[in-house]
Amino acid sequence: MILRPELFNPQSIVVVGGSKDSSKPGGKALQNILRHGYEGKVYAVNPKESRVQGIPSYPDCEALPHVDLAIIAIAAAYVEETIRILANEKNCKVFIL
């Protein structure tokens, strides 16, 4: 098993399913990243919101810039396609489900 450096020192993180609601998994993950001093770029994907917890939210993964690490907090039915897009089109190397 190979542990990628992007897991421990990502320059950018996306929370797919990032939410304003911190009681939801994507909302809690985003809140923790923003509150605990992460200094890299942070993105959210939420098709229903243009801003989430003070940061811009993208409508889908295709609209994102390159990301190092993706936290996936969406329904299982969408996970495979989301990872395919992030890995193949955005060169994302690390995923947390």
Side-chain angles (χ1 to χ4, degrees):
M1 180 166 86
I2 298 173
L3 294 177
R4 305 255 340 153
E6 293 90 345
L7 177 61
F8 301 104
N9 189 25
Q11 300 302 305
S12 57
I13 299 173
V14 62
V15 178
V16 181
S19 172
K20 293 179 181 180
D21 185 348
S22 64
S23 70
K24 294 182 177 181
K28 184 55 117 180
L30 187 57
Q31 180 184 59
N32 286 334
I33 292 165
L34 296 172
R35 283 192 176 172
H36 294 286
Y38 174 70
E39 295 179 4
K41 296 177 182 174
V42 180
Y43 307 106
V45 172
N46 183 325
K48 297 177 184 175
E49 303 288 343
S50 61
R51 293 191 70 76
V52 175
Q53 296 188 38
I55 63 169
S57 178
Y58 292 85
D60 53 47
C61 292
E62 289 92 347
L64 285 168
H66 162 82
V67 293
D68 289 332
L69 184 148
I71 298 171
I72 311 294
I74 56 176
Y78 304 106
V79 171
E80 184 178 353
E81 178 68 7
T82 297
I83 290 175
R84 186 196 63 73
I85 291 166
L86 289 170
N88 295 333
E89 297 177 23
K90 301 304 172 181
N91 201 30
C92 185
K93 302 294 186 195
V94 180
F95 299 89
I96 298 172
L97 303 175

